[in-house]
Amino acid sequence: MPGRRSSPPHWGHHLRRFPSAPACRLWGPQSYEAWEPPRPLPLLCRDMALQNALYTGDLARLRELFPPGSTADLLLECQAAEPRWTSHQRGLWSLTYEEELTTPLHVAASRGHTDVLQLLLRRRARPDSAPGGRTALHEACAVGHAACAHALLVAGADPNIPDQDGKRPLHLCRGAGTLECVELLLRFGAKVDGRSEEEEETPLHVAARLGQVELADLLLKWGACPNARDVEGRTPLLAACDARCTSPADAEATTTCCLQLCHLLLSAGADADAADQDKQRPLHLACRRGHAAVVELLLSCGVSANAMDYGGHTALHCALQGPPAALAQSPEHAVRALLNHGAVRVWPGALPKVLERWYMSPRTIEVLMNTYSVMQLPEEAMALVPPETLQKHHRFYSSLFALVRQPRSLQHLTRCALRTHLAACLPQALPRLPLPPRLIRYLQLDFEDVLY
């Protein structure tokens, strides 16, 4: 038909115009200057041969389907990753996989088919097209395909454009090519402190929250702000300290990663005592997650052990209310560090609750009890500990319940008196006392696995 643009071969009736493309684009600072004629609307393609070639990266077949002069400015329909509740009639809902729109460029970028992606760009595929809410650059960065990201950036892809969730490509970088993708984005003008639209997170927040130490280091070298705050007032340091262990098996790795991030952020000038909107500080979160080494690091920076959040909780409360997974991270070390830095002791009436929660960690019970001159437990407290635990830790629990309402040893009473006298300067004064190292450790509540 005269004047009608021909379609690439083999597509026929599988193509139709997509109605939402922009009508025109103006160029130059004023509207009367040169402007580009309306670009043809993108075609919706349902040709399975084309889609199969795209998903498998069949470059030879795609060269046939996209000969010189053809366009790759197409739309494809794909199934959503998760089923959604939809209603086609009033009151009738069904759980179905909705069809979503994507482009050949998105498919190539998400699968790392760099040669295919370059062919599509030569055939006039638009690098910033986002029919489903994400651009192809988002897709490439989300799976760490650095070569695809580079090709898109060279073709003019915007490194700062947000997706449907308000996240920029820098927020999404994952996978083996994460660092390379991030460096490419920054070299091509991505804002190192660009915010996500809803959470107002910077890329450094995301790196800290996900435990990506090398990525955080790279972002800081490019000038990322270590004290940026998200919509809840959280800094990257707070995000790092809130790292959770999914299981006891990964507890050590999570704590190590968290410690490395905290060292990195603090050396870059992060505020060790910055509070969020709920007045939670890094120390609160590190205690709640059981990161004992991070607790000791933060205390060494001079943060207060007795600062309260809006709920009236101190760091010691947070440590003793931690999840069961914290058992694998030796909570007794965090509790001891807090007590040696002047943390206010637990109210004696709450000790039975602590025993009931932490009976599987005798050293946590030991370090708490060694801050009192009298064992303030009711006689029926033995019933709070299961028989198998009493048997497993027989020596400790025998000594504990033998001392209920009984006087402690003179040596222990002397320790309590000295610690009380030095309360205001306990962490600084104890190491300086002219005493043998073993006695210093005793004053610092060293573990003995028995109570006297």
Side-chain angles (χ1 to χ4, degrees):
M1 184 180 292
R4 184 173 179 179
R5 186 176 175 188
S6 62
S7 300
H10 309 301
W11 295 351
H13 67 279
H14 293 287
L15 296 170
R16 66 179 173 84
R17 296 291 182 190
F18 188 70
S20 65
C24 64
R25 183 182 300 167
L26 297 178
W27 295 93
Q30 297 178 349
S31 61
Y32 57 78
E33 294 196 11
W35 60 281
E36 184 180 314
R39 187 164 186 165
L41 297 174
L43 300 169
L44 180 60
C45 174
R46 293 192 177 94
D47 187 271
M48 292 308 299
L50 171 63
Q51 294 195 31
N52 287 337
L54 283 168
Y55 281 94
T56 58
D58 189 344
L59 184 61
R61 180 63 174 143
L62 289 167
R63 280 176 176 155
E64 295 176 7
L65 294 170
F66 291 110
S70 65
T71 180
D73 188 15
L74 304 173
L75 292 169
L76 307 174
E77 286 183 337
C78 64
Q79 251 186 17
E82 297 179 357
R84 299 174 182 172
W85 288 102
T86 55
S87 175
H88 300 289
Q89 296 181 15
R90 192 170 185 179
L92 295 176
W93 290 81
S94 60
L95 190 61
T96 58
Y97 287 91
E98 282 190 348
E99 295 295 323
E100 294 183 344
L101 293 175
T102 187
T103 71
L105 204 61
H106 285 72
V107 175
S110 65
R111 281 159 177 75
H113 300 323
T114 310
D115 293 339
V116 171
L117 184 137
Q118 290 172 335
L119 171 66
L120 298 172
L121 289 169
R122 291 196 298 270
R123 298 296 183 263
R124 293 181 291 161
R126 287 179 290 178
D128 283 336
S129 177
R134 276 188 175 188
T135 66
L137 185 58
H138 285 103
E139 299 288 354
C141 291
V143 285
H145 293 317
C148 290
H150 183 257
L152 289 162
L153 289 164
V154 169
D158 186 348
N160 291 303
I161 194 168
D163 66 5
Q164 75 275 15
D165 297 320
K167 292 180 171 59
R168 304 167 194 268
L170 265 181
H171 292 99
L172 300 177
C173 291
R174 306 284 188 278
T178 294
L179 297 180
E180 194 174 350
C181 283
V182 168
E183 192 138 22
L184 281 168
L185 290 167
L186 293 168
R187 278 172 41 206
F188 277 84
K191 298 175 182 176
V192 71
D193 283 327
R195 306 278 183 144
S196 59
E197 291 184 348
E198 192 169 327
E199 301 89 354
E200 296 185 18
E201 283 188 323
T202 66
L204 187 58
H205 279 97
V206 177
R209 176 164 50 81
L210 298 179
Q212 297 172 309
V213 180
E214 291 182 340
L215 175 54
D217 187 30
L218 177 60
L219 291 167
L220 287 167
K221 287 176 180 175
W222 276 81
C225 177
N227 289 309
R229 293 183 180 270
D230 64 12
V231 71
E232 295 180 353
R234 286 196 167 195
T235 63
L237 183 61
L238 281 161
C241 290
D242 201 23
R244 308 183 185 204
C245 301
T246 55
S247 68
D250 73 347
E252 185 177 351
T254 303
T255 297
T256 300
C257 183
C258 178
L259 181 62
Q260 291 174 342
L261 276 166
C262 291
H263 271 296
L264 185 65
L265 291 164
L266 289 168
S267 64
D271 184 352
D273 209 26
D276 64 12
Q277 290 181 350
D278 294 326
K279 296 299 180 185
Q280 291 189 108
R281 291 167 165 79
L283 187 62
H284 290 109
L285 297 177
C287 286
R288 185 167 284 123
R289 301 301 172 208
H291 304 314
V294 177
V295 170
E296 293 176 358
L297 172 64
L298 293 169
L299 290 169
S300 71
C301 294
V303 302
S304 171
N306 292 310
M308 293 185 182
D309 63 13
Y310 268 145
H313 299 107
T314 66
L316 185 57
H317 292 138
C318 294
L320 295 175
Q321 293 169 1
L327 275 172
Q329 297 166 275
S330 303
E332 66 270 16
H333 293 289
V335 172
R336 182 177 63 179
L338 290 166
L339 292 169
N340 283 333
H341 280 78
V344 175
R345 295 177 302 173
V346 177
W347 175 57
L351 288 173
K353 291 185 178 180
V354 176
L355 177 63
E356 186 176 16
R357 184 176 181 84
W358 292 103
Y359 62 79
M360 286 296 294
S361 177
R363 285 188 166 185
T364 301
I365 307 300
E366 176 190 346
V367 74
L368 282 170
M369 296 303 180
N370 276 337
T371 61
Y372 299 91
S373 56
V374 177
M375 191 68 63
Q376 304 188 51
L377 281 174
E379 293 182 1
E380 59 271 17
M382 184 181 293
L384 299 173
V385 184
E388 59 272 20
T389 305
L390 287 173
Q391 184 176 359
K392 182 179 179 180
H393 304 286
H394 175 73
R395 181 168 180 256
F396 172 75
Y397 281 114
S398 295
S399 67
L400 170 66
F401 295 118
L403 286 172
V404 172
R405 304 194 182 282
Q406 297 295 320
R408 301 290 300 267
S409 69
L410 181 59
Q411 181 175 307
H412 172 72
L413 294 175
T414 304
R415 171 169 62 181
C416 288
L418 185 55
R419 287 177 62 89
T420 301
H421 179 71
L422 298 174
C425 54
L426 196 63
Q428 298 81 22
L430 279 182
R432 295 183 179 181
L433 292 177
L435 297 171
R438 184 175 179 180
L439 192 50
I440 293 292
R441 291 196 299 271
Y442 178 78
L443 291 171
Q444 292 174 329
L445 307 176
D446 199 18
F447 303 113
E448 299 179 88
D449 299 317
V450 67
L451 293 170
Y452 298 103

